[in-house]
Amino acid sequence: MLSKALLRLGAGAARHPWRVIAAWLIAATLAVFAAVAFGGRTADSMTAPGLDSRRAAELIERAGTGQEGMTAQVVVTPLGDGATFFDDAGARTALTRLQTEVKRLSHVLGTSDPAGALDAGGDTAVRGGLVSADGRIAVVRVQYPDQSRLSAEDLDALVELGDRLRAELPLRIEMGGNLFYAFSDPDGGVSELIGLLAAAAILFLAFGSLVAAALPIGMAVFGLTVGVATMTVLAGVTEVPAFAPVLGSMVGLGVGIDYALFVLARHREYLARGLDPHEAAGRAVATAGRPVVFAGGTVVVSILGLAVANVPFMTVGGLAVSIVVLTMVLASVTLLPAFLGAAGPRLARVGRIGRALQTRGPGRLARRRDPVTDAAHAAGWRRWIGHVGRHPVPYAVGAAGLLLTATLPVLGLRVGLPDDGSLPQSRTERRAYDLVAEGFGPGTNGPLVIAADPTGDPGVLDRLLAAVAADPGIASVVPTHIDRATGIATLVVFPTTSPQDKATADTIARLRTDVLPTAIGHGPARAHVGGAAASLSDVGQRTSQRLPALVAAVLAMSFLLLMLVFRSVLVPLKAVLLNLLSIGAAYGIMVAVFQWGWGGALIGLEATVPIVSFIPMFLFAILFGLSMDYEVFLLSRVREEYLRTGDNATAIVEGVSRTARIITSAALIMVAVFLSFAVAEDPSTKMFGLGLATAIFIDATVVRMVLVPATMTLLGRTNWWLPKWLDRMLPRGPVGTDRADADSTWRPAPQRVTQGPVES
């Protein structure tokens, strides 16, 4: 039985705390050393098998044109009023020196030559996309090999060169390109610290004890160290997306502290009853640890469900985040009870500062000895849950209507990729983006690359060039480059609109469905549209197409798991539907903030942006798993009360009121952690942070404290209905159904209810 195994595990760790802590220290040290020795860097291969952009990339790789590698761009404009490159010899000399210095950098395969274009004169410079029509802005495009041969040192060398030349040349120098995207340090370090400090403050206010507040934080830091280091080792084996460490830290801190809070609250409850600290720790792990194991398993199952999208970087990213979650679950049932055993009876005490805050603090968070688990403190929640239970229909209808209203903006959801134009003005990538858009048009920031194999039709290239240049969505086309060895041709095409503009996606679709097929005809030649903008557009379409399959898979797995856990049909069905409501509301709020700009300034968003194409799918998988944390924790307590009393109304009031304070405290911690990431510079990180924080807040308040008690009251004893034939088929679930519960307060129900009161 799971509860007995957890009881032995928790009690053993509490009796031998220093052995367990030492084992975790060794594990963390080995993980860090392995990450340093064998780990790799994250990469952003935003593509997937079978996409047209992927076929274009394969042709470019065959041709060996160098366009398959990493790129950077150095954007310059002369300092001083009225100066232009055409009439200022000093500015032109400075540009030539800049090009020379950049070419000398390690691993640089070559650069464009705006100085040479200037010497060629007028239209040639403009057509080449190297110097603006007014001669004020020039672009030095820098070609590097593929990412596997590069490192962050290459980015550092380019940035240091720019810093030095700014002081020596009469030029304003800004930089951008996918070299920055690949090797810039991801957001997260400061956000993690802010999240930890916020969590520590909330824990201290909740428990009134520095020791009690420190234990969940310490456990989360241990788990995060091991999890992220393991993720780094995984990056040495396969390509782990750049967002995975940030997302793993975000989710890992949230669930780690939450899980620790659940176990710690039960531990203090047992200490208050007079149990020995070792026995209290064992029973806390056996009771609260069971929902933790199943909730963590649900999170992992949901995230691994991303594999149905058939987008490799999402599958690997989900695996990386799952590693962190599993590490937190393991830490919650081994490392945390060791901490509890080492702390001993001190956890039952509240310090002077804690007592002062509890009696005089904001809202008098707690007036009794233990503000989290003291039964008397649950009186307010009992009154609230009882009130909802007496008026279930208006509360159910009102709460559901509120969430459905918040979901409505989803109808306007537009996926895409926030480009460098969405970064703050303090970033050189944003300033370079603005200069390029000013000098050459917005589409220059997101060139498309058309790769063509003209086999058997030598005249197709001229037709392609003419047809593409004539398209209304294309601003200019760089002359065709043909690889002599393979015959593969590449055309660099600049749209009239920015990479994140919907019109750019429309142009890509039109090129593929109309322009290219018409130019090629029925001959053997073939052509594909690639480039970063095309790849991300393709991934967005792929994820949108596969999202229903992911939703169906996650819902089915979660339903089955909850049915096993609670021996009920309606409880898991209700949980699935309510979780969908909270996630839909979170999506709607994201659309309102990021696409409509409502309140965007509060999180440092300087411009409206589309929702990153893969984020809705990732958020669904993560949020559905996280919301199940509270569902399992709350309903397992309701189930315990139902098995004890046999009365549905009493079970709802007692179960929800006894877990409400813990759930709201845990949710407040998780919201604080996620919101700390919502103020990061990168829009993708903002989306993850705000989406997760919003959904958790809605789930822990509107759903858990209003909709759950209202709907369970309406359903009555049918909450626990399970047909006899289905009950015989299902294996016995270990949460909420073990008669040999590790909690010594368990006693048989006055009536037989293990199969539910209604049978078919």
Side-chain angles (χ1 to χ4, degrees):
M1 305 281 276
L2 178 61
S3 59
K4 293 182 179 179
L6 290 174
L7 176 65
R8 290 192 296 269
L9 186 64
R15 289 192 184 93
H16 308 286
W18 300 113
R19 296 181 187 176
V20 177
I21 294 172
W24 271 91
L25 277 171
I26 293 172
T29 303
L30 291 176
V32 171
F33 276 127
V36 173
F38 308 109
R41 289 191 61 88
T42 57
D44 281 303
S45 179
M46 300 293 186
T47 186
L51 299 178
D52 189 67
S53 55
R54 180 58 191 164
R55 296 188 182 100
E58 291 169 353
L59 283 180
I60 294 171
E61 290 170 4
R62 279 180 51 197
T65 62
Q67 290 173 333
E68 72 276 11
M70 303 295 293
T71 59
Q73 59 182 15
V74 182
V75 188
V76 294
T77 186
L79 297 174
D81 296 333
T84 67
F85 287 129
F86 289 106
D87 60 16
D88 191 307
R92 190 175 302 198
T93 301
L95 176 61
T96 302
R97 180 184 168 190
L98 173 70
Q99 291 177 226
T100 303
E101 295 269 11
V102 171
K103 284 181 181 179
R104 291 174 180 171
L105 291 175
S106 177
H107 293 137
V108 170
L109 301 178
T111 68
S112 62
D113 185 15
L118 282 168
D119 293 335
D123 291 341
T124 303
V126 177
R127 285 198 303 269
L130 303 179
V131 182
S132 62
D134 61 4
R136 287 284 300 159
I137 300 171
V139 178
V140 179
R141 294 193 174 90
V142 189
Q143 185 66 53
Y144 287 90
D146 62 81
Q147 187 170 340
S148 63
R149 297 169 57 188
L150 302 176
S151 69
E153 294 178 357
D154 294 286
L155 175 60
D156 294 339
L158 181 62
V159 171
E160 290 170 5
L161 175 63
D163 292 339
R164 176 168 63 83
L165 293 181
R166 285 188 186 99
E168 299 176 3
L169 301 177
L171 299 174
R172 174 186 169 189
I173 303 173
E174 306 296 349
M175 300 179 177
N178 58 18
L179 186 72
F180 284 79
Y181 187 71
F183 293 111
S184 293
D185 291 332
D187 294 332
V190 175
S191 298
E192 290 167 12
L193 179 59
I194 294 173
L196 283 172
L197 292 176
I202 295 168
L203 285 168
F204 181 60
L205 289 174
F207 286 113
S209 166
L210 286 173
V211 175
L215 295 188
I217 301 295
M219 189 213 79
V221 170
F222 262 97
L224 195 61
T225 301
V226 174
V228 174
T230 306
M231 187 187 300
T232 305
V233 174
L234 179 65
V237 179
T238 186
E239 287 189 355
V240 175
F243 63 79
V246 175
L247 186 58
S249 299
M250 197 186 309
V251 176
L253 282 177
V255 301
I257 296 173
D258 261 22
Y259 294 165
L261 178 61
F262 294 160
V263 176
L264 179 58
R266 272 296 179 101
H267 176 72
R268 296 189 80 187
E269 185 177 338
Y270 289 130
L271 287 178
R273 297 179 186 177
L275 269 67
D276 176 84
H278 300 159
E279 184 180 359
R283 292 192 176 185
V285 173
T287 51
R290 289 178 297 165
V292 164
V293 170
F294 276 87
T298 305
V299 175
V300 171
V301 167
S302 298
I303 296 176
L304 292 181
L306 291 166
V308 304
N310 193 26
V311 179
F313 77 86
M314 292 180 62
T315 302
V316 177
L319 175 62
V321 175
S322 297
I323 289 173
V324 179
V325 174
L326 284 174
T327 304
M328 289 300 181
V329 171
L330 183 61
S332 299
V333 297
T334 57
L335 180 60
L336 182 61
F339 283 163
L340 300 178
R346 286 176 293 175
L347 288 176
R349 298 194 294 267
V350 178
R352 292 181 180 178
I353 298 176
R355 283 195 297 270
L357 286 171
Q358 291 169 17
T359 56
R360 304 184 188 83
R364 296 191 178 184
L365 287 176
R367 301 181 183 181
R368 280 96 181 171
R369 180 176 180 81
D370 187 344
V372 174
T373 60
D374 192 274
H377 186 74
W381 286 110
R382 285 196 188 93
R383 287 193 295 271
W384 168 251
I385 301 303
H387 174 71
V388 172
R390 289 190 296 273
H391 309 87
V393 174
Y395 275 106
V397 172
L402 177 65
L403 296 185
L404 287 173
T405 301
T407 305
L408 287 177
V410 172
L411 298 175
L413 175 68
R414 181 171 68 87
V415 298
L417 177 71
D419 51 34
D420 287 346
S422 60
L423 294 175
Q425 287 284 350
S426 59
R427 295 277 291 268
T428 185
E429 302 101 296
R430 167 63 185 274
R431 297 193 295 270
Y433 179 97
D434 290 344
L435 280 176
V436 170
E438 176 189 341
F440 304 94
T444 313
N445 283 298
L448 306 176
V449 181
I450 298 178
D453 184 354
T455 303
D457 189 358
V460 72
L461 297 180
D462 292 334
R463 299 198 303 272
L464 275 177
L465 182 60
V468 171
D471 187 86
I474 302 301
S476 61
V477 181
V478 175
T480 308
H481 177 278
I482 303 176
D483 178 64
R484 293 182 178 179
T486 61
I488 294 173
T490 54
L491 292 79
V492 179
V493 178
F494 297 101
T496 57
T497 49
S498 68
Q500 70 178 18
D501 197 311
K502 183 179 182 298
T504 302
D506 294 339
T507 298
I508 294 170
R510 188 169 56 253
L511 289 175
R512 288 171 172 164
T513 59
D514 184 18
V515 177
L516 298 187
T518 300
I520 292 174
H522 299 290
R526 56 195 178 103
H528 305 284
V529 182
S535 295
L536 288 159
S537 176
D538 290 350
V539 170
Q541 291 183 6
R542 170 69 62 84
T543 55
S544 297
Q545 293 168 356
R546 299 296 176 87
L547 183 58
L550 171 69
V551 171
V554 171
L555 293 183
M557 288 186 289
S558 300
F559 177 84
L560 290 174
L561 177 61
L562 289 176
M563 187 165 58
L564 287 172
V565 169
F566 295 113
R567 318 299 295 179
S568 166
V569 173
L570 295 181
V571 163
L573 179 61
K574 173 185 60 64
V576 165
L577 294 176
L578 295 185
N579 288 342
L580 281 177
L581 272 179
S582 62
I583 294 172
Y587 280 2
I589 292 172
M590 285 177 60
V591 171
V593 172
F594 290 98
Q595 290 184 207
W596 300 353
W598 293 6
L602 298 176
I603 58 173
L605 189 68
E606 297 186 0
T608 58
V609 294
I611 305 300
V612 177
S613 57
F614 57 84
I615 283 184
M617 185 173 279
F618 248 105
L619 278 184
F620 177 83
I622 295 171
L623 286 174
F624 202 89
L626 292 179
S627 62
M628 283 298 176
D629 286 2
Y630 300 135
E631 187 75 21
V632 171
F633 187 72
L634 184 150
L635 289 181
S636 61
R637 193 63 182 256
V638 173
R639 180 66 170 168
E640 285 181 26
E641 295 296 329
Y642 185 64
L643 289 173
R644 185 175 66 85
T645 66
D647 182 76
N648 184 69
T650 300
I652 294 171
V653 172
E654 290 299 316
V656 177
S657 62
R658 287 180 178 274
T659 56
R661 183 59 185 270
I662 302 171
I663 288 176
T664 51
S665 297
L668 186 60
I669 290 170
M670 198 174 282
V671 168
V673 170
F674 293 154
L675 282 181
S676 68
F677 286 84
V679 297
E681 289 186 342
D682 181 63
S684 300
T685 306
K686 289 181 185 292
M687 289 179 194
F688 275 124
L690 182 66
L692 290 169
T694 302
I696 294 301
F697 175 78
I698 292 173
D699 189 79
T701 54
V702 179
V703 173
R704 300 295 151 221
M705 300 305 142
V706 180
L707 275 174
V708 166
T711 54
M712 291 191 76
T713 299
L714 290 172
L715 290 172
R717 295 179 65 190
T718 56
N719 280 301
W720 313 109
W721 169 66
L722 185 69
K724 285 184 177 180
W725 63 268
L726 185 57
D727 184 52
R728 288 191 295 268
M729 291 176 58
L730 296 176
R732 303 307 299 177
V735 177
T737 61
D738 284 352
R739 298 185 68 87
D741 196 317
D743 187 346
S744 61
T745 63
W746 184 90
R747 61 180 181 274
Q751 53 185 303
R752 185 174 182 268
V753 296
T754 54
Q755 292 182 340
V758 180
E759 299 174 345
S760 62

